[in-house]
Amino acid sequence: FTFEAAQSLPGLPTGHHCRNIHGHSYRMEVGALDPDLLRIHLTALYDELDHRYLNEIPGLESATCERICAWVWRWLRERGSSPTVVAVQETETAKCLYFGE
């Protein structure tokens, strides 16, 4: 699925364009051992992320695509899903595949 969200990366040097608040049209793909259970959680996950300022979500204060992947993995596991892969793409050239902790 896709979602729209804003973020900033406050740890970057002053003057770096990603340090400022900006938005992305994210594309997320998730695989799981139980796709039916996963589908139940994906709607809630979408609602948690779409049209939000990601930095305000605990654990996403510096929301790189790598950190979003790990956060989504933990979020799904806490709800009983067993993800096998989480992929987050924030731009044409920035994508992360996460296979777990």
Side-chain angles (χ1 to χ4, degrees):
F1 64 90
T2 61
F3 67 96
E4 311 292 327
Q7 70 169 127
S8 64
L9 299 175
L12 292 176
T14 301
H16 191 288
H17 63 277
C18 290
R19 182 180 170 110
N20 299 324
I21 295 174
H22 61 285
H24 289 290
S25 297
Y26 291 91
R27 177 174 175 78
M28 181 176 297
E29 299 173 74
V30 182
L33 296 175
D34 185 344
D36 293 326
L37 181 59
L38 176 63
R39 272 192 273 294
I40 294 168
H41 298 299
L42 289 181
T43 299
L45 178 60
Y46 174 84
D47 291 342
E48 183 80 18
L49 298 173
D50 189 53
H51 283 84
R52 297 280 308 274
Y53 179 43
L54 298 180
N55 296 60
E56 293 177 343
I57 298 172
L60 291 178
E61 294 83 4
S62 184
T64 63
C65 55
E66 296 85 358
R67 289 186 176 129
I68 296 169
C69 278
W71 182 90
V72 167
W73 184 280
R74 288 188 301 273
W75 191 94
L76 290 169
R77 297 274 308 207
E78 288 170 2
R79 284 152 184 82
S81 284
S82 297
T84 56
V85 63
V86 174
V88 173
Q89 185 167 353
E90 65 183 21
T91 68
E92 191 67 31
T93 59
K95 182 177 184 177
C96 176
L97 296 171
Y98 187 75
F99 295 95
E101 301 171 326

